[in-house]
Amino acid sequence: GNKNIQAKLVLLGDMGTGKTSMVLRFTKGQFFDFQESTIGAAFFTQVLSLNEATIKFDIWDTAGQERYHSLAPMYYRGAAAAVVVYDITSMDSFERAKKWVIELQRQGNPNLIMFLVGNKVDLEEKRKVGNEEAEQYAKENGLVFLETSAKTAQNVNELFYEIAKRLTKK
Ligand code: GTP
């Protein structure tokens, strides 16, 4: 039989790392060079069908600006999966991602599946965060690691498929 799973998913990460762009790429196949900064949070849904199950994602795309930080627990509470996003051209955004990981480890749902995503791989010539460095950090912290580009769509569907697959195994 085919299972139906509804799962709350939250995206966290510094402003401008591409959280909204990644969700828009996945849910609508769209990308905007001038994507507006999110205020508070935005909500999206998307259904993904795998052989073993159909997953309905309730996606909370949070605002990365520091002034919205205190709202974040409302969005990660009860989440089945969290995607922490940084921008591979910004070491600051990688440092911010590590802070999100610590917060989720301390205050998130203990069964939370955590993904670390380095976005904007299309900007390889401006890369500041090494692939190996991030992979090593992810390994040490039990995170699933991927590099993506919302702009070119590289690895974006793969990310959500990977989340869905892991949710069906819970
Ligand atoms: P906040 O809402 O402020 O937290 O930002 P965000 O993380 O949602 O980032 P957003 O999706 O708004 O993207 C910020 C900027 O980066 C926009 O100008 C996007 O066009 C651009 N951008 C997002 N993803 C990519 C990518 O993969 N490659 C490139 N080159 N630009 C990207």
Side-chain angles (χ1 to χ4, degrees):
N2 203 329
K3 276 198 291 184
N4 279 301
I5 299 173
Q6 184 154 7
K8 179 175 170 183
L9 171 63
V10 65
L11 284 91
L12 299 160
D14 208 353
M15 63 179 290
T17 53
K19 299 177 294 298
T20 304
S21 300
M22 206 172 295
V23 176
L24 281 180
R25 170 60 77 191
F26 171 58
T27 60
K28 300 186 172 151
Q30 295 176 332
F31 177 81
F32 302 100
D33 280 311
F34 301 96
Q35 179 62 47
E36 280 173 36
S37 192
T38 302
I39 295 170
F43 180 70
F44 299 83
T45 62
Q46 180 73 4
V47 177
L48 242 185
S49 292
L50 304 180
N51 284 333
E52 50 288 26
T54 299
I55 294 94
K56 181 175 178 266
F57 284 118
D58 287 335
I59 305 172
W60 285 101
D61 165 27
T62 66
Q65 289 179 52
E66 194 49 42
R67 67 177 120 151
Y68 299 116
H69 184 182
S70 63
L71 299 177
M74 285 203 304
Y75 301 108
Y76 63 69
R77 195 172 298 141
V83 178
V84 177
V85 184
Y86 66 93
D87 170 350
I88 68 145
T89 73
S90 160
M91 191 50 84
D92 281 355
S93 77
F94 185 56
E95 295 305 325
R96 186 73 191 87
K98 292 180 182 174
K99 294 203 172 116
W100 279 119
V101 171
I102 292 167
E103 179 167 340
L104 290 170
Q105 285 168 341
R106 287 185 186 150
Q107 314 201 55
N109 155 16
N111 303 317
L112 186 68
I113 303 174
M114 268 198 258
F115 285 71
L116 178 68
V117 172
N119 189 41
K120 309 198 186 182
V121 275
D122 56 290
L123 301 177
E124 185 58 41
E125 71 284 0
K126 293 187 183 164
R127 181 191 282 274
K128 297 280 171 7
V129 185
N131 176 286
E132 295 76 18
E133 176 182 3
E135 185 152 39
Q136 181 63 30
Y137 171 79
K139 210 183 216 176
E140 287 164 8
N141 287 275
L143 316 170
V144 187
F145 172 62
L146 274 177
E147 288 189 340
T148 62
S149 168
K151 185 166 183 165
T152 67
Q154 183 179 337
N155 263 349
V156 175
N157 282 339
E158 287 80 355
L159 167 67
F160 289 92
Y161 270 95
E162 196 54 43
I163 296 169
K165 269 201 275 172
R166 283 170 196 258
L167 288 171
T168 61
K169 287 182 192 137
K170 277 183 102 172

